[in-house]
Amino acid sequence: MKRMTAITALILVFTLILSGCGAKPGTSTAPSTTTKTGNTSSQGGTSNVPDITIPTPWTQDYQSALLDKIPFTVDLGAGWEYRDLTANGVHRRVTVTYEMDSSVIQTDPCYTYFRVDILGDGMYAETVAVGRAFLSDNMADYVRSEDPDMINMELFENDFKASAFKGKDKDYIVIGIPAGWEKNTSTMVISTADGKLLADMEVDKSNRVTLKGDDTGKYMDYSKNTNFFSFGENSITYLKVSQRVDGVTYLKEYSLTIANNEITSVETGKTYTTTDTVPDLPGIAIH
C-alpha cells in the first residue's frame, strides 16, 4: 500500500512538470511583448494592441546633402585657400579646400573636387558649396610630377571672392568661385553669416562674351571672361537673357535684396547686349 502511494505521488509530480506548472528557474511565464489596452470587445473584454511607434520619414535638405556629392574615392588633400571678412561685427573665414581622387591625376581632363566652408567665432564650419575645378595644362603637369603628399595648390586666386553684403536687417555673406561642376563655369553663393545657405547660381562661361552696356567691367572675371553676376558690400546683380533678335542677345539685369533670410529679385531697368553666343542662364536658385 505504501509502495502504491509513493508511485502515485511520483506520477503526480511528473504530470505537473509536463503540464508546465513547474517553470525553470530564472524564466518568466509572462508574455514578453508590451501591449496596450484597446477597445472593449463585444464579450466585455479588451483587445491587446502591440505598442508600435511608426518613425517619421527622414529627409535631407539641399545644404546637408552637399558633401554627399564628393565621392568616397577622394584620398588626397591638394591644398586650400581662404578669405577673411567681418560680418555683423564678428570674424568669418571663407575657405576652399581641394581634394583629389589620386586615380584621376593621370587622366585627361584632370580635376580636383573643391569644398567651400564658412567658419569663425561662435559657430561650427558650414559647407555652402562643392564642385569640380579642372586643372590647366601647367597645373596638371605640376600634380603629375609632384610627390602626391606634397601637392599644395591655390587654384582660384584672384577670382575667389567673398564679401559681407549689407542686407536690410543684417550682414550676409556672398562668395564667388571660378568653377562649378563642369568646365568653364562660375558659381555665386549667398548665405547667412552663420553659414546657412540661402541661394546659389552656376553659370556657363564657355563662350567668350563681350557685353555692351553700363559698367560692363563688373561682370568680368580676372581673365576677362563674362561671369554674368557681380557683387560687393552694397549690391548683388546678375544677368538673364530676355530675347535674341537678328543675331543680337539682350540681357536684363536683376538686383537682389535680402531681409530676414528672404531674397527678393527685381529688375534694375538696365539692359546689356552682345552679338556673341550666350549660353542659357538659369538665374538664381533659392534654397
Side-chain angles (χ1 to χ4, degrees):
M1 186 68 179
K2 291 181 179 180
R3 183 179 179 182
M4 291 296 295
T5 301
I7 292 174
T8 301
L10 287 172
I11 291 174
L12 178 59
V13 170
F14 286 128
T15 301
L16 290 174
I17 292 172
L18 292 174
S19 65
C21 294
K24 294 181 180 179
T27 60
S28 171
T29 58
S32 59
T33 302
T34 302
T35 59
K36 61 182 179 181
T37 304
N39 296 326
T40 303
S41 66
S42 59
Q43 287 79 18
T46 58
S47 61
N48 290 328
V49 181
D51 190 7
I52 299 174
T53 301
I54 300 175
T56 302
W58 179 79
T59 57
Q60 191 175 22
D61 64 25
Y62 177 85
Q63 183 174 4
S64 62
L66 285 175
L67 286 177
D68 294 340
K69 297 181 179 181
I70 297 180
F72 288 113
T73 52
V74 295
D75 56 0
L76 183 64
W80 73 300
E81 51 190 306
Y82 66 90
R83 301 290 181 267
D84 285 329
L85 53 86
T86 299
N88 302 315
V90 295
H91 171 258
R92 290 291 179 260
R93 173 167 288 182
V94 180
T95 65
V96 174
T97 304
Y98 304 109
E99 299 174 308
M100 297 190 73
D101 179 344
S102 56
S103 67
V104 177
I105 290 178
Q106 299 302 326
T107 65
D108 191 17
C110 183
Y111 59 86
T112 177
Y113 294 97
F114 69 85
R115 183 183 77 245
V116 182
D117 295 319
I118 297 174
L119 59 152
D121 299 338
M123 65 172 290
Y124 294 105
E126 297 288 348
T127 300
V128 294
V130 296
R132 294 186 299 180
F134 291 81
L135 307 187
S136 65
D137 291 341
N138 289 339
M139 190 59 71
D141 289 341
Y142 160 69
V143 299
R144 288 165 182 164
S145 62
E146 186 62 82
D147 183 330
D149 292 333
M150 299 300 293
I151 294 174
N152 187 17
M153 300 184 294
E154 290 188 13
L155 292 178
F156 294 161
E157 297 182 328
N158 294 302
D159 286 323
F160 169 26
K161 300 177 180 179
S163 179
F165 170 73
K166 298 185 182 303
K168 292 184 177 297
D169 57 336
K170 58 187 176 184
D171 291 342
Y172 297 85
I173 293 178
V174 191
I175 305 164
I177 299 293
W181 276 101
E182 302 304 324
K183 293 184 70 173
N184 299 314
T185 56
S186 288
T187 302
M188 180 172 67
V189 177
I190 303 173
S191 78
T192 67
D194 292 330
K196 176 179 172 56
L197 180 63
L198 300 180
D200 57 19
M201 67 181 298
E202 182 178 336
V203 296
D204 183 344
K205 57 180 183 180
S206 58
N207 297 303
R208 193 99 179 178
V209 175
T210 300
L211 296 174
K212 293 181 180 180
D214 182 38
D215 190 14
T216 58
K218 68 181 182 180
Y219 288 111
M220 296 291 182
D221 64 15
Y222 187 76
S223 300
K224 305 303 181 184
N225 294 307
T226 297
N227 252 347
F228 303 104
F229 61 75
S230 175
F231 63 85
E233 290 185 359
N234 299 303
S235 70
I236 305 173
T237 59
Y238 66 96
L239 303 177
K240 285 192 69 176
V241 174
S242 60
Q243 59 180 334
R244 305 177 197 266
V245 179
D246 297 330
V248 178
T249 299
Y250 296 80
L251 302 100
K252 288 184 177 180
E253 183 182 68
Y254 293 80
S255 177
L256 299 180
T257 59
I258 313 177
N260 299 317
N261 297 354
E262 297 291 332
I263 296 177
T264 303
S265 177
V266 296
E267 292 185 25
T268 65
K270 294 182 179 179
T271 299
Y272 294 79
T273 63
T274 183
T275 56
D276 298 321
T277 301
V278 179
D280 290 333
L281 302 174
I284 193 163
I286 307 295
H287 300 296

